[in-house]
């Protein structure tokens, strides 16, 4: 290639480089270019005259080409100025906030953010979500190789406004049960719920509970508030009675024409129940316990209707009326004598104690009464029984003696060794001795017909032994009125005790039934109790809540007959637990002890009225 062509090629390359370099340069970068000129030697040709002309160059021009260096970029950052920070707040809690940093000038900038809640970020544009409402100051720092700058932007995070507030409750609610309340919102943050239950009571929280004290419909109002707004709504609660269940109707048997028949309504559940009776003979009545006097013989369907705000329930019972069983009463000559116990003597007469009258009395079945005054005043004779010697033996509760009276009125007394022992019950043992309880002495005593006394202390203090009888095993069985137990003592003095299932039952009278079990009265629990002869099983039969059963005895048909001091009734219970009630003619009689008489009637003491009563045909 000749010199001219070489120059053209170099120049073309130069022009192409100059044309494309501006497009390859980095923004805001400055490049310095060095231009180089290619040097070439100019060749010299000196011909030599010869016969054969030969072209021989004297000197050969060999161009020396120097490599053109690649241009080098030396970056230089532009200093930062005019830094500003902005954000998209106010922002609802839970929604992200957008942050943006801008500069007027500056290159190669790195941005660092501190959002004011411990959170950090990088970039000219970032987002951040705050966990709580409030005012925050976000700081951005811009940095490059030649400068740095900082800027702040205030951020406001607000609660989401409350909307879609609803309230509900678990009603209808039975009176006395808990009503559960729930409040909810479809939108809103940091919501506080305040309740007014409509009965003067208040509460707070999204889920609360409340017990209403009375029946009715209540409007419960809930107010929901946060820092953005508030809303209220209400829910209606229906508080109802406990539904009636287990309704039954019963009446006292026999239903005797001309005397009151007692009707009793019972339920297993239900509140504010109103009871209405239709006795089946055109007469009606009301109340859980009521009485009715049938005037004719027949079978009547008594219908009981129980109603409350929850439901209405019916029950029926067939009443069969019978002819009257007569009550006869005999006044005791000594006024206010408080007859206590009664038994049958060997002479076929009834013998009874006069606790306040301080006498022992004899009464024939036709009502003739003979009284015998005790030698010592204020002896307060209590229980009595027939002894093996044909005499009547009795306890003197205050006199602290055991007494003996013959059928012709001869009295003998024996002091109990333990002072102020308050002897109470007494019975004849299989050993021919008389056994008695010491209510205050907390002992069981034994006295021979010759007057020798032996005492046996009970294992538990303050047991208060009361009634006593002979059991099927020949042992003596007794009630512990304060200890709430049935005790057993052999004729050798070995004692065992059995706790009654119902606490505080106050057992008093006790007798052995035809079924060879022990039957006893629970004076405070208003029940008749049954205990197997081995002491392993108790059964209790409930009476009227105000019955206060006291004395108990057996009858030839195997049934047990008992007095009910406060209910003024004589009761009968079979060995299968069927109970018949016989209301006394006079309220406030206070029947106490009872015995089956020689005339086939039941004789009993009326402690409150000072009379002897008879129940029979």
């Amino acid at each position: 290639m000749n010199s001219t062509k070489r120059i053209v090629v170099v120049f073309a390359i130069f022009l192409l480089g100059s044309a494309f370099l501006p497009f390859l340069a980095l923004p805001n970068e400055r490049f310095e270019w060095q231009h180089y000129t290619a040097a070439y030697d100019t060749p010299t040709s000196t011909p030599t005259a010869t016969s054969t002309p030969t072209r021989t160059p004297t000197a050969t021009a060999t161009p020396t080409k120097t490599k053109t260096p690649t241009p080098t970029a030396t970056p230089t950052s532009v200093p930062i100025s005019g830094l500003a920070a902005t954000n998209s707040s106010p922002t609802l809690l839970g929604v992200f906030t957008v942050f943006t940093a801008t500069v007027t000038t500056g290159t190669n900038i790195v941005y660092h953010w501190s959002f004011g809640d411990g959170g950090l970020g990088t970039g000219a544009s970032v987002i951040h979500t705050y966990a709580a409402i409030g005012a925050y100051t976000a700081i951005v720092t811009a940095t490059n190789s030649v400068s740095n700058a900082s800027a702040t932007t205030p951020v406001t995070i607000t609660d989401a406004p409350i909307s879609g507030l609803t309230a509900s409750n678990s009603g209808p609610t039975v009176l006395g049960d808990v009503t559960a309340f729930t409040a909810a919102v479809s939108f809103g943050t940091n919501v506080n719920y305040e309740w007014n239950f409509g009965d003067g009571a208040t509460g707070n929280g999204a889920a609360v509970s409340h017990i209403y004290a009375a029946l009715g419909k209540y409007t419960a109002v809930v107010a929901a508030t946060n820092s953005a707004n508030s809303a209220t709504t209400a829910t209606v609660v229906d508080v109802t009675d406990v539904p009636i269940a287990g309704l039954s109707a019963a009446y006292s048997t026999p239903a005797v024409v001309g005397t009151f028949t007692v009707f009793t309504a019972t339920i297993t559940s239900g509140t504010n129940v109103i009871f209405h009776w239709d006795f089946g003979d055109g007469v009606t009545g009301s109340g859980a316990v009521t009485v009715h006097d049938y005037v004719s013989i027949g079978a009547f369907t008594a219908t009981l209707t129980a109603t409350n705000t929850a439901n209405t329930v019916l029950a029926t019972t067939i009443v069969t009326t019978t002819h009257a069983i007569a009550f006869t009463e005999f006044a005791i000559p000594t006024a206010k004598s408080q007859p206590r116990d009664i038994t049958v003597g060997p002479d076929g007469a009834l013998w009874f104690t006069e606790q306040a009258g301080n006498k022992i009395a004899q009464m024939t079945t036709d009502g003739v009464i003979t009284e015998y005054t005790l030698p010592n005043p204020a002896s307060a004779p209590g229980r009595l029984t027939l002894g093996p010697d044909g005499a009547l033996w009795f306890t003197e509760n205050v006199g602290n003696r055991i007494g003996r009276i013959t059928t012709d009125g001869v009295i003998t007394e024996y002091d109990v060794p333990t002072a102020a022992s308050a002897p109470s019950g007494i019975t004849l043992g299989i050993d021919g001795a008389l056994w008695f309880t010491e209510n205050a002495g907390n002992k069981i005593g034994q006295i021979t017909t010759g007057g020798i006394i032996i005492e046996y202390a009970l294992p538990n203090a303050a047991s208060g032994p009361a009634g006593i009888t002979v059991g099927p095993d020949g042992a003596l069985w007794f009630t512990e009125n304060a200890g709430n137990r049935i005790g057993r003592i052999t004729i050798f003095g070995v004692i065992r005790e059995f706790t009654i299932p119902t606490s505080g039952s106050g057992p008093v009278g006790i007798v052995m039934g035809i079924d060879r079990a022990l039957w006893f009265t629970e004076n405070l629990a208003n029940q008749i109790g049954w205990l197997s002869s081995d002491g392993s099983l108790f059964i209790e039969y409930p009476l009227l809540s105000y019955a206060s059963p006291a004395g108990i005895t057996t009858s030839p048909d195997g049934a047990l007959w008992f007095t009910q001091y406060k209910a003024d009734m004589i009761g009968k219970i079979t060995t299968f637990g069927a109970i018949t009630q016989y209301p006394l003619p006079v309220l406030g009689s206070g029947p106490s002890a009872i015995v089956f008489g020689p005339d086939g009637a039941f004789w009993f003491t009326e402690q409150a009225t000072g009379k002897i009563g008879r129940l029979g045909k």
Side-chain angles (χ1 to χ4, degrees):
M1 184 182 293
N2 58 32
S3 298
T4 302
K5 290 181 180 179
R6 291 192 183 101
I7 293 171
V8 172
V9 171
V10 171
F11 184 72
I13 293 172
F14 172 77
L15 289 177
L16 288 171
S18 299
F20 285 102
L21 281 174
F23 296 102
L24 299 174
L26 296 172
N28 299 314
E29 298 293 343
R30 185 177 61 200
F31 298 91
E32 294 181 358
W33 296 87
Q34 294 181 355
H35 300 278
Y36 297 89
T37 302
Y40 297 91
D41 291 334
T42 302
T44 302
S45 178
T46 306
T48 303
T50 60
S51 59
T52 303
T54 302
R55 187 178 178 184
T56 302
T58 303
T60 302
T62 302
T64 302
K65 184 177 179 180
T66 303
K67 183 178 180 181
T68 303
T70 303
T72 301
T74 303
T76 301
S77 297
V78 175
I80 300 166
S81 66
L83 175 63
T86 60
N87 68 80
S88 61
S89 74
T91 310
L92 297 180
L93 182 65
V95 178
F96 63 77
T97 302
V98 179
F99 292 86
T100 304
T102 59
V103 295
T104 305
T105 63
T107 57
N108 301 316
I109 302 171
V110 177
Y111 299 93
H112 291 280
W113 293 86
S114 174
F115 299 116
D117 64 346
L120 303 174
T122 59
S125 180
V126 293
I127 62 173
H128 179 63
T129 302
Y130 288 89
I133 63 171
Y136 301 88
T137 299
I139 303 172
V140 62
T141 301
T143 305
N144 66 9
S145 61
V146 295
S147 62
N148 62 71
S150 295
T152 63
T153 178
V155 184
T156 301
I157 306 300
T158 65
D159 274 318
I162 297 168
S163 64
L165 174 63
T166 60
S168 61
N169 68 81
S170 60
T173 307
V174 170
L175 181 64
D177 285 355
V178 173
T179 302
F181 294 86
T182 303
V185 294
S186 57
F187 195 64
T189 55
N190 293 314
V191 180
N192 180 59
Y193 300 93
E194 297 288 339
W195 292 86
N196 184 325
F197 298 118
D199 63 347
T202 59
N204 59 77
V208 295
S209 61
H210 179 60
I211 298 176
Y212 288 93
L215 303 176
K217 289 185 180 294
Y218 299 87
T219 300
V221 178
V222 61
T225 59
N226 67 6
S227 62
N229 66 336
S230 64
T232 60
T233 191
T235 179
V236 177
V237 185
D238 189 7
V239 180
T240 66
D241 276 312
V242 176
I244 301 167
L247 176 67
S248 64
Y251 68 95
S252 59
T253 57
V256 178
V257 172
T259 62
F260 285 121
T261 298
V262 180
F263 288 84
T264 306
T266 58
I267 55 175
T268 56
S269 64
T271 53
N272 298 308
V273 181
I274 298 173
F275 298 97
H276 177 79
W277 294 87
D278 182 338
F279 299 115
D281 62 350
V283 182
T284 61
S286 62
V289 178
T290 188
V291 296
H292 177 57
D293 185 0
Y294 287 97
V295 297
S296 61
I297 298 296
F300 303 89
T301 300
T303 302
L304 170 63
T305 303
T307 305
N308 66 8
T309 60
N311 62 340
T312 298
V313 181
L314 276 71
T316 60
T317 182
I318 305 298
V319 182
T320 302
T321 57
T322 63
H323 289 293
I325 295 178
F327 275 99
T328 309
E329 293 177 313
F330 303 88
I332 297 172
T334 301
K336 300 180 180 179
S337 65
Q338 293 184 3
R340 185 74 172 88
D341 197 13
I342 189 168
T343 193
V344 178
D347 54 356
L350 287 306
W351 289 77
F352 58 92
T353 58
E354 298 179 28
Q355 194 167 50
N358 202 49
K359 298 175 180 180
I360 303 297
Q362 177 206 51
M363 179 179 180
T364 65
T365 56
D366 58 4
V368 178
I369 297 175
T370 304
E371 296 176 295
Y372 300 93
T373 302
L374 298 185
N376 294 287
S379 294
R383 303 293 183 181
L384 81 166
T385 191
L386 179 61
D389 55 356
L392 285 305
W393 291 73
F394 56 92
T395 58
E396 295 182 16
N397 188 263
V398 176
N400 200 49
R401 290 178 287 268
I402 301 299
R404 175 185 181 274
I405 184 170
T406 65
T407 55
D408 56 3
V410 178
I411 297 174
T412 309
E413 295 174 308
Y414 303 91
D415 291 327
V416 176
T418 299
S421 67
S424 181
I426 189 168
T427 195
L428 175 63
I430 62 170
D431 58 350
L434 287 306
W435 289 77
F436 59 94
T437 59
E438 299 179 24
N439 188 262
N442 205 51
K443 297 176 180 178
I444 302 299
Q446 177 201 46
I447 182 170
T448 66
T449 54
I452 299 173
I453 296 176
I454 301 174
E455 296 173 296
Y456 301 93
L458 297 184
N460 293 286
S463 294
I468 189 167
T469 192
V470 175
D473 54 356
L476 288 305
W477 291 73
F478 54 92
T479 57
E480 295 184 17
N481 184 263
N484 199 54
R485 291 177 288 267
I486 300 300
R488 175 187 180 274
I489 183 170
T490 68
I491 58 175
F492 303 106
V494 179
I495 297 173
R496 292 181 63 193
E497 294 173 309
F498 307 91
T499 300
I500 297 170
T502 299
S503 62
S505 67
V508 180
I510 187 168
V511 70
M512 181 179 71
I514 196 173
D515 58 352
R516 300 180 62 80
L518 286 309
W519 291 79
F520 56 95
T521 57
E522 297 182 22
N523 185 263
L524 300 180
N526 299 302
Q527 299 181 133
I528 299 299
W530 180 96
L531 175 62
S532 61
S533 58
D534 62 358
S536 63
L537 179 63
F538 278 94
I539 301 175
E540 296 172 297
Y541 300 94
L543 304 172
L544 297 176
S545 61
Y546 53 90
S548 190
I552 187 168
T553 192
T554 58
S555 66
D557 64 357
L560 291 304
W561 291 71
F562 55 94
T563 60
Q564 296 166 84
Y565 188 88
K566 292 182 180 178
D568 289 308
M569 292 183 182
I570 301 300
K572 171 187 175 182
I573 183 170
T574 68
T575 54
F576 300 102
I579 296 175
T580 304
Q581 301 279 26
Y582 299 88
L584 269 64
V586 179
L587 295 178
S589 297
S592 180
I594 187 170
V595 67
F596 184 74
D599 59 348
F602 289 93
W603 293 77
F604 54 93
T605 56
E606 295 183 15
Q607 192 170 0
T609 58
K611 297 177 181 179
I612 300 299
R614 177 186 184 278
L615 173 61
K617 295 180 181 179

